[in-house]
Structures are given as C-alpha cells and as structure tokens.
Amino acid sequence: MKIIIAGAGEVGFHLAKLLSYESQDIILIDNKRETLTYADTHLDIRVIKGDATSISTLKDAQIAQADLVIAVTSSETTNITVCVLAKQLGAKRTIARISNTEFLDNQEEVGFKKFGIDELISPEALAANEISLLLNQSGFNDTYVFENGALIMIGLSLSRTAAFVDKTVKEVGELHPELKYVPLAIQRFGTQYTLIPRGDTQFKEGDQVYFTTTQKGVDEIFKLTGKVKMEIKNVMILGGSKIGYKTARDLCKNSFRVKLIEREQSKAFDIADEIPSCLVINGDGRNVELLMEESIADMDAFISVTGNSETNIMSCLVAKSKGVKKAIALVENMDYFQLSQSIGIDTLINKKLLAANTIFRYVRKGEVVAMTKLNNMNAELLEFVVTPNSDVSGKLIKDIDLPRSAIIGGVVRNGEGIIALGDFRIMSGDRVVICCLPQSISKVEKLFV
C-alpha cells in the first residue's frame, strides 16, 4: 500500500514508524529538514523536504498512485488543503487531522467528502472521548466500545481477591456459565509478553487482562474481578488545553461537577465564560498547596492534561496519594506506558496512539470499521464487516482456520452484541471483533477480504 504522510511532527512520525514496521510504502513530507533527517535515518521510508500544499511536491511524491494520504501537520488549514489537492490529483483516500471540533460535529452538513476529504480526525477530541469513557467505566484501566456499546472491551489488573485468580479460562466458564465474556489478551505481571488465552490458560494475580463483554456482562465482571464500581461525580482537571476544555465541556453536559485549574489567566477567563457550569481556577496546578486548598482529597477523579508529560504524571501521583480514586494522565512519551501500573496511575492516554488507532483501520485489508491497539500490549483489536465473499461467511466459528495467536471476541448482528462461541455460525453482514498478535494479522485479514 502506497501511503503519503504530510507532517513529520509527533503524530506523523509515530504513524510513519508504525506503518514502516509493516513494510508499507511510506513517503513522509515536511518542510523542516531536522525532523525529516531523524525520520530518514531511523525508519525505512522515503522523505521529501517541501511544502505539502505544493502541487509539484505532491507530484514528486507520485500522488496519483497513492492509496492513502494522511495530512497531520500542526495546521488544520494545511491539512484540509493537502487532502483536497491530493484527491484532485488522483489519491484514492484522504484523512485530515483537525483541531476545530466544530468540523467533526457538522461534517455531514458541510459535506467534506465533496471537497475530497474522506475522514477527519482530531487527536484532542479522541483523547477527550477516551477520558469520558474511562470515567463511565471507572473500575477499569482501559475501555473501548463497539457499535454504540453493543460490545465493550475492558482492561483491568487482577487483584488477589479476584474470583478468576489461579483458575483456567475453562474453569471460570464452568463455575460461572451465566457470564457472557471472552478473555482477549493477558500480560503477565512484570513481563512484556502478550498472551492470547486458550481454555487451559490460567489467570494469575497481577495479570493485566482484556475482556469483551456486553452491557449486562460488565457488572458481573466487576463482581468476579473484585473491582468496585465507583460513583464518579467530582472531577478535577489540570490544564485548559484543547483536551482539558473539551473534557470539561463534555463532563459538565453529563452533570459531572468539574473543577478546572489553568495557569494562564486569559485562557482561564475564556473557559469560565464558555463553560459556565465549570468552576475554573486560575493558578499553578503543580503547587500542592493549591490542590489541597481546592479540596483535591474530595475529588473522585483527577485528570492531568497539561502540555508536559512529567507534570501530568507527578500531579496524578499527588492526587492518588491524597486518596483520589481515579487518576488519568496525558503523556507524549510512549515509553511511559510501561510504567503506568507500577507507579500507581490508573490510566495513561496518548494522542499519537489514539490517532494512529483511528487511521490504522484504513490500512488493514478487509472491511475494517473499528480498530484499537491494546495499551502497552503487542496486540490489536479489529472489527471486520463480513461480506458474502468473506471466507468466514456461513461457517461455524469452530470450523474457521483462525491462527492460535488470534481470538474472536464477539459478533454484532443487527445492532445486538453476541458473545459467540464455537457453535455460532457467522453470516454475511455480521460485524466480527477479533484480537490478534502482529504475526497473525495478515492471515486474519485474508479471512475477511
């Protein structure tokens, strides 16, 4: 697949890096020589120094043969222009990164596809949505919904008191036949090894485990894993960035009591004017005395989304030390993900990873309608639409030649989530959720082409 990426910033470089691992034909365009030099020496890709809105630069990148153009510069105007030009010059599909969420809210009305933009993504909006989802499923440290909640992916760390501990997947199924769930992936405590569980796989204390279940199954998993479903109402947000602003706005709409701390006075006043139901404090959230004055100990959740990863991590640790139930930190450095559990922060979120997950589904073969990478795990969760010509169409799950490093997490049929086992027959039109390790992705894709 020939992919052109405009913008070698944090999102563009991260995408180029992930895609280059998959032997895709990648061209990275940027007008800054230093960022391109680093990409050129560290990744197996072609780089072009130039303005991505220049027609001659796009022609140099052989835009007419491009299967996908991803514009992720820091300027949304540039990104929109690149996509419009690319489509006119023959590119098959285009994706533009935007920061103005009004574009997302009104994309049907405006009709961006008519201009040549197939998809709009906002890393900030994705991060804000992820935070809202995590607060709603507050006992878990990772979550993802398919088809408006028909199926739910949840991630959690197994405590010593969990009913699952020291039992195999098969034993849990026999003891709790009413429980509708599929264990997707396990990472053993203290290791970086991702395991796709089978019937004889044993759950251990400290395992980070991912499950798929339905809305009804969520409460059962809460009980059996020893997690307490926390009522979250009082939320403190550190940082009035785009993510902080959108999170505060969304939470206030859903009747959360939100307190936002912003250091810059003019920005604090603007947020206070735009979100009247949010209590905005103009101050430095790194000051522990200020946090104490603002009753951090009475908060149910603390969300740190300043522009500095270290500030976000340290302030979340302060919040946890004061008894806050849920702490979420925005980080830019992917290496920090491996530290989240060991240092005691519930969840780390990363804009690059969220944007990459959204974009990656356009790279996968077969009709992929949703995709996410499991946090700090070497596994992907993909949702395929079954076509009449798909190899799996009309087959029982037990008869599908699925690699051992892949597992079917569930099926959505006519909007209803089904935890499908071996005797379930997959039909055309079904949406099938599959978790797989990188080595089995190409084989899984072939089943749905």
Side-chain angles (χ1 to χ4, degrees):
M1 197 172 188
K2 185 180 177 65
I3 302 169
I4 296 173
I5 301 171
E10 56 184 33
V11 176
F13 178 80
H14 182 65
L15 270 171
K17 180 178 168 184
L18 290 177
L19 292 166
S20 69
Y21 290 159
E22 305 206 348
S23 305
Q24 305 287 357
D25 180 9
I26 311 295
I27 295 174
L28 185 62
I29 303 173
D30 201 286
N31 51 17
K32 291 193 182 112
R33 188 176 299 280
E34 58 273 19
T35 51
L36 284 178
T37 302
Y38 185 83
D40 194 24
T41 53
H42 286 76
L43 305 176
D44 183 20
I45 62 172
R46 181 187 165 203
V47 300
I48 296 176
K49 182 184 177 298
D51 180 359
T53 61
S54 159
I55 292 172
S56 59
T57 301
L58 292 174
K59 284 184 174 177
D60 182 27
Q62 298 174 312
I63 193 79
Q65 284 84 52
D67 297 297
L68 180 62
V69 173
I70 307 166
V72 285
T73 73
S74 56
S75 162
E76 68 185 358
T77 309
T78 300
N79 297 338
I80 289 169
T81 306
V82 168
C83 288
V84 171
L85 289 172
K87 206 57 179 278
Q88 295 302 315
L89 292 168
K92 291 189 181 69
R93 194 171 193 94
T94 61
I95 301 172
R97 173 192 178 177
I98 49 113
S99 52
N100 184 351
T101 53
E102 274 191 331
F103 289 159
L104 288 175
D105 299 336
N106 300 286
Q107 58 183 317
E108 295 301 322
E109 187 182 340
V110 175
F112 284 96
K113 287 193 177 178
K114 289 183 288 189
F115 305 141
I117 305 167
D118 294 305
E119 190 78 16
L120 295 170
I121 62 157
S122 165
E124 292 79 15
L126 290 169
N129 293 341
E130 179 85 352
I131 290 167
S132 297
L133 199 55
L134 286 163
L135 293 184
N136 288 326
Q137 303 287 355
S138 54
F140 307 125
N141 55 30
D142 196 6
T143 183
Y144 190 85
V145 296
F146 294 92
E147 304 307 313
N148 299 314
L151 287 175
I152 302 170
M153 181 275 288
I154 50 179
L156 53 90
S157 180
L158 291 183
S159 59
R160 185 172 47 82
T161 56
F164 282 46
V165 169
D166 294 330
K167 294 185 175 64
T168 64
V169 172
K170 187 178 178 184
E171 285 169 345
V172 172
E174 289 168 351
L175 287 168
H176 306 280
E178 76 292 344
L179 180 60
K180 302 297 182 191
Y181 85 108
V182 172
L184 297 170
I186 297 175
Q187 188 177 68
R188 296 288 187 217
F189 181 73
T191 74
Q192 296 301 314
Y193 179 66
T194 302
L195 178 72
I196 300 294
R198 295 289 163 191
D200 58 355
T201 303
Q202 195 174 51
F203 295 107
K204 299 282 189 185
E205 180 187 344
D207 281 354
Q208 172 68 18
V209 188
Y210 285 86
F211 301 98
T212 41
T213 185
T214 58
Q215 289 281 5
K216 291 178 185 172
V218 170
D219 289 339
E220 281 299 314
I221 289 178
F222 262 118
K223 285 183 210 164
L224 291 172
T225 54
K227 297 290 175 185
V228 179
K229 193 162 190 177
M230 297 176 281
E231 174 94 36
I232 288 186
K233 273 294 165 196
N234 299 309
V235 180
M236 184 179 281
I237 300 172
L238 180 58
S241 61
K242 286 173 183 168
I243 297 172
Y245 168 79
K246 189 176 187 312
T247 302
R249 190 190 66 187
D250 293 351
L251 293 178
C252 285
K253 279 182 188 171
N254 290 316
S255 304
F256 285 82
R257 290 187 287 273
V258 181
K259 221 178 241 193
L260 186 146
I261 300 175
E262 168 53 45
R263 189 170 50 168
E264 194 180 306
Q265 190 179 55
S266 60
K267 192 184 279 186
F269 277 113
D270 287 344
I271 294 170
D273 287 341
E274 290 174 40
I275 317 174
S277 54
C278 176
L279 176 59
V280 182
I281 292 109
N282 176 216
D284 190 342
R286 294 172 298 182
N287 184 337
V288 178
E289 282 183 17
L290 174 66
L291 296 178
M292 295 297 288
E293 282 171 18
E294 296 303 332
S295 309
I296 189 171
D298 297 333
M299 294 295 137
D300 301 314
F302 182 86
I303 301 159
S304 192
V305 286
T306 73
N308 185 289
S309 300
E310 289 74 19
T311 296
N312 296 339
I313 289 171
M314 292 308 294
S315 55
C316 278
L317 291 175
V318 170
K320 291 298 281 186
S321 74
K322 303 301 177 190
V324 177
K325 301 171 197 166
K326 185 91 174 171
I328 300 171
L330 176 74
V331 297
E332 296 303 327
N333 191 330
M334 300 292 288
D335 297 332
Y336 288 153
F337 268 85
Q338 296 175 11
L339 299 172
S340 61
Q341 297 303 310
S342 59
I343 63 178
I345 295 175
D346 299 296
T347 309
L348 299 179
I349 58 172
N350 180 282
K351 290 187 297 181
K352 294 180 282 191
L353 196 60
L354 292 168
N357 286 350
T358 304
I359 291 167
F360 245 74
R361 74 173 194 253
Y362 299 103
V363 179
R364 296 278 168 247
K365 296 184 182 73
E367 195 173 338
V368 179
V369 289
M371 188 221 135
T372 185
K373 282 179 179 287
L374 302 186
N375 273 355
N376 198 25
M377 281 204 189
N378 194 26
E380 285 185 19
L381 200 56
L382 299 142
E383 181 186 2
F384 291 94
V385 176
V386 179
T387 64
N389 298 323
S390 297
D391 192 42
V392 299
S393 184
K395 285 187 179 177
L396 298 176
I397 285 177
K398 63 185 179 185
D399 295 332
I400 296 169
D401 184 21
L402 203 64
R404 278 195 64 81
S405 53
I407 188 168
I408 292 178
V411 175
V412 178
R413 179 175 288 172
N414 300 322
E416 182 191 355
I418 302 162
I419 298 302
L421 303 177
D423 291 325
F424 183 87
R425 191 177 300 279
I426 290 175
M427 306 300 290
S428 176
D430 286 350
R431 292 170 176 242
V432 181
V433 174
I434 291 192
C435 182
C436 52
L437 300 185
Q439 64 263 33
S440 58
I441 286 173
S442 60
K443 191 168 182 183
V444 169
E445 286 173 337
K446 286 173 187 169
L447 295 172
F448 292 90
V449 172

